[in-house]
Amino acid sequence: MAEQTLLQFFQSLPTGIALGHAGADVDFLDSTARIYATNTVVGRQGDTNSRIFIVQSGWTSVCRHLPNGNRQIIDTPLKGDVLDLPSADGGSVNSLIAVTAATIFEIPGHSFAKALDRNATLGALFSRMVARQHQIAAERLTSVCRRSALERTAHFLLELGERLAAGGAYGTQAGYDCPLTQHDLADVLGLTQIHVNRTLRELRERDMVSFRSGSVEFLNRQKLVKLAGFDKGYLQYSWPQAPQKLLASGHVPSSARSVIP
């Protein structure tokens, strides 16, 4: 794969946003991504971290390790996801792991903060990306707290398909390659591995979805969507038409900034 700058990445899927002149004077947009091998710790829980990460390719996981040795996977960031926006002093509360070989843009926190201060267009882009991450987190919390094991498993597998499709490399109707193990699914869904195994078997026996050998196959996607109550709206990178024109021009008057999500 040819090296791609962050500016070029933003102009491709999944964001597909034309920054125009807005990105031309932001130094870190010319940076290229770093490649991490499978199972590499990109950022460790407790470490002081001043970097912002944006996944260019590959599978990653954000996880929290508990004192008793348990692990909770908070999210599985994929192409286009932004992580570790600086909000407070202190160590990182989560670890970022490369599940597969992953290519990740790393932005120094001080450069990022300065760029957002002087560039409203860039701020609009990142606020939209972060809002999407918050919506994903809200759905995950809803699943763990209120959806049954069947529903939350179905919802997560459907979500992964949509997130992969947003990057332009995968379809969602037939299925997708998935490097996550049943142990990983258990840590994402808040279930035991035995419960995950039984749930996946039941979903397969109901002719809805098959999860095995590193592959997810949708046997009846319509039934799976109905079971999960899945609505992909929260995953969309949508830009209102008027703000999009302003972003493309690189000129965002102060009167218009309040309408850019």
Side-chain angles (χ1 to χ4, degrees), residues 65 99 104 113 176 182:
H65 295 278
V99 176
I104 300 175
Y176 51 89
Q182 288 192 17

Side-chain angles (χ1 to χ4, degrees), residues 162-185:
E162 292 294 340
R163 291 172 73 174
L164 289 166
Y170 300 84
T172 62
Q173 298 304 312
Y176 51 89
D177 293 333
C178 180
L180 302 179
T181 65
Q182 288 192 17
H183 178 68
D184 293 330
L185 285 185

Side-chain angles (χ1 to χ4, degrees), residues 36 47 90 94 101 117 149 160 166 172 196-197 245:
Y36 288 92
D47 286 352
N94 303 314
D117 283 343
L160 285 180
T172 62
V196 167
N197 183 274
K245 291 179 180 179

Side-chain angles (χ1 to χ4, degrees), residues 226-238:
K226 184 177 180 179
L227 170 68
F230 183 74
D231 181 350
K232 66 180 181 180
Y234 70 100
L235 296 170
Q236 304 307 301
Y237 286 98
S238 58

Side-chain angles (χ1 to χ4, degrees), residues 9-229:
F9 179 72
F10 282 150
Q11 294 170 339
S12 63
L13 294 173
T15 51
I17 185 73
L19 287 172
H21 299 296
D25 63 341
V26 181
D27 292 339
F28 71 72
L29 288 178
D30 290 327
S31 64
T32 53
R34 178 177 175 182
I35 299 174
Y36 288 92
T38 302
N39 295 326
T40 300
V41 178
V42 181
R44 193 177 303 275
Q45 181 176 324
D47 286 352
T48 300
N49 174 49
S50 61
R51 296 170 293 171
I52 291 84
F53 302 106
I54 300 175
V55 180
Q56 182 187 24
S57 65
W59 289 66
T60 66
S61 69
V62 174
C63 53
R64 175 80 56 84
H65 295 278
L66 304 178
N68 63 3
N70 289 333
R71 177 187 69 162
Q72 175 69 44
I73 295 180
I74 309 299
D75 193 16
T76 52
L78 298 167
K79 182 179 180 182
D81 290 334
V82 58
L83 308 160
D84 279 352
L85 291 177
S87 58
D89 295 332
S92 177
V93 296
N94 303 314
S95 293
L96 174 61
I97 312 293
V99 176
T100 65
T103 307
I104 300 175
F105 289 102
E106 299 182 13
I107 306 169
H110 65 278
S111 298
F112 178 76
K114 289 180 180 179
L116 294 192
D117 283 343
R118 70 173 184 261
N119 195 312
T121 302
L122 200 63
L125 171 62
F126 273 94
S127 67
R128 189 64 179 178
M129 294 171 73
V130 172
R132 179 177 179 270
Q133 293 302 115
H134 286 172
Q135 290 168 341
I136 290 172
E139 283 293 334
R140 193 66 38 75
L141 180 62
T142 301
S143 283
V144 171
C145 294
R146 285 291 179 260
R147 292 186 176 112
S148 69
L150 281 174
E151 291 167 346
R152 75 178 74 168
T153 302
H155 195 280
F156 181 64
L157 295 179
L158 287 164
E159 179 190 283
L160 285 180
E162 292 294 340
R163 291 172 73 174
L164 289 166
Y170 300 84
T172 62
Q173 298 304 312
Y176 51 89
D177 293 333
C178 180
L180 302 179
T181 65
Q182 288 192 17
H183 178 68
D184 293 330
L185 285 185
D187 287 351
V188 170
L189 300 173
L191 302 169
T192 66
Q193 190 170 343
I194 293 175
H195 201 170
V196 167
N197 183 274
R198 291 172 179 168
T199 300
L200 291 173
R201 183 171 65 247
E202 183 172 349
L203 288 171
R204 185 173 64 251
E205 290 172 348
R206 291 191 184 190
D207 293 324
M208 293 185 184
V209 65
S210 171
F211 179 96
R212 54 186 170 185
S213 303
S215 178
V216 173
E217 180 186 1
F218 294 128
L219 305 176
N220 189 322
R221 194 173 186 279
Q222 185 175 2
K223 285 174 61 177
L224 197 67
V225 168
K226 184 177 180 179
L227 170 68

